[in-house]
Amino acid sequence: KAATNGEMDWKLYPAGQILAARSTLPGVRDGVADAGFVVAACWIDTLASELVGVLDTVGTLAHFSRSILGLTILAWGNSIGDVKTNLAMARRGLGNMAITACVAGPLFNLLMGLGAGVISNCSMEGTAFMEAKLPTDILVGVVLICTNCAAMIAAGAYGRGRIPRKFGYLSLALYLLYLVLSALHIFKIL
């Protein structure tokens, strides 16, 4: 018998019927949801790794600098979801939540990613420290991030908790400045 009105005919899917029966197997639905989340995260990680590999190969074949790929395509691809979410929150009048997400997401990535990376590297190398050099383009990025954060604090304090539109233009200008300075450094012009 075919399903009607867009409903799935669970008789064709006995495993789905068992898993969906809340009264028969309490807690199974939550376990399936948790397992689904883990599987989805694994797929996302696998696809992201493959995408980075493909972009690296295309960049090598096209003689693009890995720094340029990381600075543009990979950075934008990594951040576009956050940007869209933050814009949606701001458009719905949830400006504080959008600002918090703009700061908390990168903060989590920096602190957890950097911390886990250092621990992992030290464990693999069997050392108590990790050798690291701060490239000029990263140093420029750090300075511009600190400048943006200081400007946000100053704008919020000066505007008594209200950040003006001009601050948004400043943030965009600082990012464009970062792209230009990094590109000039990569191409050894600066």
Side-chain angles (χ1 to χ4, degrees):
K1 178 180 168 183
T4 57
N5 296 331
E7 295 176 10
M8 181 180 264
D9 188 356
W10 287 104
K11 293 175 188 164
L12 298 175
Y13 303 96
Q17 187 176 13
I18 290 169
L19 294 175
R22 182 175 234 143
S23 61
T24 308
L25 298 170
V28 170
R29 250 186 174 176
D30 293 337
V32 170
D34 293 342
F37 179 78
V38 170
V39 169
C42 290
W43 271 108
I44 290 169
D45 181 56
T46 301
L47 291 172
S49 296
E50 292 303 316
L51 180 61
V52 168
V54 167
L55 286 173
D56 189 33
T57 302
V58 168
T60 301
L61 293 174
H63 303 292
F64 287 140
S65 164
R66 285 183 173 170
S67 297
I68 290 292
L69 286 174
L71 186 68
T72 56
I73 296 170
L74 294 176
W76 297 336
N78 189 37
S79 303
I80 198 70
D82 291 340
V83 170
K84 288 180 76 170
T85 302
N86 294 338
L87 282 172
M89 286 189 288
R91 287 181 180 146
R92 290 192 175 134
L94 302 170
N96 284 338
M97 187 182 290
I99 289 173
T100 302
C102 285
V103 173
L107 184 68
F108 176 81
N109 288 338
L110 277 170
L111 299 180
M112 294 300 292
L114 188 61
V118 169
I119 291 169
S120 175
N121 184 275
C122 289
S123 297
M124 286 187 346
E125 299 290 326
T127 61
F129 58 89
M130 181 178 105
E131 291 288 335
K133 295 178 183 170
L134 192 61
T136 304
D137 52 339
I138 300 299
L139 181 61
V140 168
V142 169
V143 168
L144 292 176
I145 286 172
C146 291
T147 301
N148 192 58
C149 288
M152 182 173 63
I153 291 168
Y158 181 74
R160 296 189 181 145
R162 295 181 354 200
I163 298 175
R165 179 186 297 243
K166 292 176 188 177
F167 175 77
Y169 294 122
L170 173 68
S171 293
L172 295 175
L174 287 173
Y175 182 70
L176 290 175
L177 177 64
Y178 172 68
L179 288 178
V180 169
L181 290 176
S182 295
L184 291 174
H185 175 73
I186 290 167
F187 293 120
K188 296 179 177 41
I189 296 171
L190 186 71

